[in-house]
Amino acid sequence: MENLHLIVGLGNPGAQYAKTRHNAGFLAVEQLAKRWRAAWTSEKKFNARMARAARSERPVLLCEPQTFMNASGEAVAAVVAFYRLPLERVLIVVDDADLPLGELRLRPSGSAGGHHGLESVERHLGARTYARLRIGIGRQPGAREISDHVLGRFDSTETALADKVVAAASDQAEAWLNDGIGKAMNRFNGAVGGSLSEGKKQ
């Protein structure tokens, strides 16, 4: 499909993981689907939920792998291979506990940085040369074990800022699609809507 673009949100399927910090990627692509009035369908051949849209006459696929986070690359690689997508037309949206809540970081390539979802994508694609948009979810001060934190939901002091950063991540994904990665990075990378302390005041 000519000029097809793919935006993938990473997360874990199932009601018990819905709206957890680790599912920030899911939340961002779900917001895009809502904006674009794109309906989700279950695609068994990819083991993923998919939604299709057209933006400025450009076809776009939204994808939520249903493989669980640590095997995300299986679904991503299947979609990329099926549509023969060049990696410059692929954007992966993920949570990042090493970024403070409220920060965004889009890069054209790079390492997985310890994120198991990105490690799986890299392993199955055999490359690092795909754009990745990291949504900062922060971490508990002094905590080495972060599983409980990332698999938990945003608390009442975080919700307003979390909503802002997910909305901004959706805006940045649209900018990547419409204006290219350079402009999307320049416009959105960094803090969104102030610090967590500001978010607590709201």
Side-chain angles (χ1 to χ4, degrees), residues 78-91:
V79 175
V80 167
F82 183 84
Y83 290 102
R84 300 180 182 178
L85 281 166
L87 294 187
E88 61 265 24
R89 289 198 231 135
V90 177
L91 173 64

Side-chain angles (χ1 to χ4, degrees), residues 115-183:
H115 192 287
H116 297 319
L118 289 178
E119 288 172 355
S120 177
V121 172
E122 181 181 320
R123 184 167 62 252
H124 284 87
L125 291 180
R128 295 180 172 181
T129 52
Y130 57 86
R132 70 281 315 275
L133 168 53
R134 298 176 183 267
I135 301 174
I137 61 168
R139 65 167 70 222
Q140 293 169 308
R144 291 188 176 183
E145 176 53 55
I146 65 169
S147 296
D148 289 344
H149 177 68
V150 300
L151 293 177
R153 289 176 171 80
F154 295 106
D155 65 36
S156 59
T157 66
E158 299 172 318
T159 302
L161 187 53
D163 288 346
K164 282 185 179 181
V165 75
V166 168
S170 303
D171 292 340
Q172 189 168 28
E174 283 194 296
W176 168 81
L177 186 66
N178 296 329
D179 305 319
I181 193 165
K183 289 184 178 179

Side-chain angles (χ1 to χ4, degrees), residues 55-135:
R55 307 301 299 169
S56 303
E57 300 183 356
R58 180 187 294 116
V60 186
L61 288 175
L62 299 175
C63 174
E64 287 185 347
Q66 301 295 289
T67 53
F68 287 93
M69 181 68 82
N70 293 1
S72 298
E74 296 174 13
V76 175
V79 175
V80 167
F82 183 84
Y83 290 102
R84 300 180 182 178
L85 281 166
L87 294 187
E88 61 265 24
R89 289 198 231 135
V90 177
L91 173 64
I92 309 293
V93 187
V94 299
D95 65 291
D96 191 330
D98 291 325
L99 284 180
L101 176 63
E103 285 201 17
L104 295 174
R105 183 178 295 164
L106 175 64
R107 292 286 185 268
S109 62
S111 72
H115 192 287
H116 297 319
L118 289 178
E119 288 172 355
S120 177
V121 172
E122 181 181 320
R123 184 167 62 252
H124 284 87
L125 291 180
R128 295 180 172 181
T129 52
Y130 57 86
R132 70 281 315 275
L133 168 53
R134 298 176 183 267
I135 301 174

